[in-house]
Amino acid sequence: MPIDDSRTFIPVRIAVLTVSDTRGMAEDRSGDTLVGRLESAGHILAARHIEKDDRATIVARLHAWIDDPEIDVILTTGGTGVTGRDVTPEALRQVQDKEIPGFGELFRWLSYQNIGTSTIQSRATACVARGTYIFALPGSTGAVKDAWDGILVTQLDSRFRPCNFVELMPRLTER
């Protein structure tokens, strides 16, 4: 599926949220991977933060970023597994207006090609919340590479045909 070079590239302002009880910025390899990839693609890093695996704290951060007019997309990494501390999908459900179920389905299909049936442990998901896209990715660098390289690099490129998430941005809050 092609990039149409006759169309204008529109950089997207992206915030990166790492959800972890154990990582600081120095150890945040998955966050670093996302930042490197989004900047290499021509997008703008609008914000970056690490939050503990606490649903209320994650929800508060998401609300603040959703309401920030300088942020178009939020990428989270971490907290999408099945353990008791993994609460990122639940936090997304608290803020979302519309779920994007195809994202998680496609992510697991792509991930299966690299890690086999272990992908079933991922609850990667996505949604739209008050006009902002949110994508919740697992915390491993392999998983964020799969999500970015296999889905997000093209869906966040305004030149991608036949359609992409960027061209829908002006209509996300329609009623």
Side-chain angles (χ1 to χ4, degrees), residues 62-85:
L62 293 174
H63 277 306
W65 282 355
I66 291 163
D67 291 336
D68 186 336
E70 296 301 313
I71 295 174
D72 303 310
V73 174
I74 300 168
L75 303 178
T76 74
T77 175
T80 62
V82 297
T83 71
R85 298 287 297 155

Side-chain angles (χ1 to χ4, degrees), residues 31-162:
D32 290 343
T33 298
L34 284 173
V35 169
R37 278 174 157 67
L38 73 88
E39 289 180 337
S40 290
H43 298 297
I44 300 157
L45 178 64
R48 183 173 179 190
H49 198 76
I50 296 177
E51 293 289 0
K52 299 284 186 203
D53 290 277
D54 175 77
R55 187 187 318 189
T57 305
I58 298 165
V59 167
R61 172 70 55 192
L62 293 174
H63 277 306
W65 282 355
I66 291 163
D67 291 336
D68 186 336
E70 296 301 313
I71 295 174
D72 303 310
V73 174
I74 300 168
L75 303 178
T76 74
T77 175
T80 62
V82 297
T83 71
R85 298 287 297 155
D86 292 320
V87 295
T88 304
E90 288 78 13
L92 261 66
R93 278 198 287 282
Q94 282 187 242
V95 302
Q96 76 183 20
D97 297 321
K98 292 187 177 188
E99 184 180 9
I100 307 172
F103 175 80
E105 295 161 1
L106 180 55
F107 170 79
R108 282 179 284 282
W109 179 80
L110 292 168
S111 177
Y112 178 80
Q113 297 171 41
N114 292 320
I115 65 169
T117 59
S118 295
T119 195
I120 202 163
Q121 296 179 28
S122 169
R123 297 184 305 138
T125 188
C127 68
V128 177
R130 299 191 306 279
T132 301
Y133 289 113
I134 307 173
F135 300 93
L137 316 176
S140 74
T141 55
V144 299
K145 288 175 185 177
D146 288 345
W148 183 268
D149 298 346
I151 305 169
L152 296 171
V153 71
T154 52
Q155 280 300 297
L156 295 178
D157 190 324
S158 55
R159 303 166 300 168
F160 184 73
R161 307 301 327 133

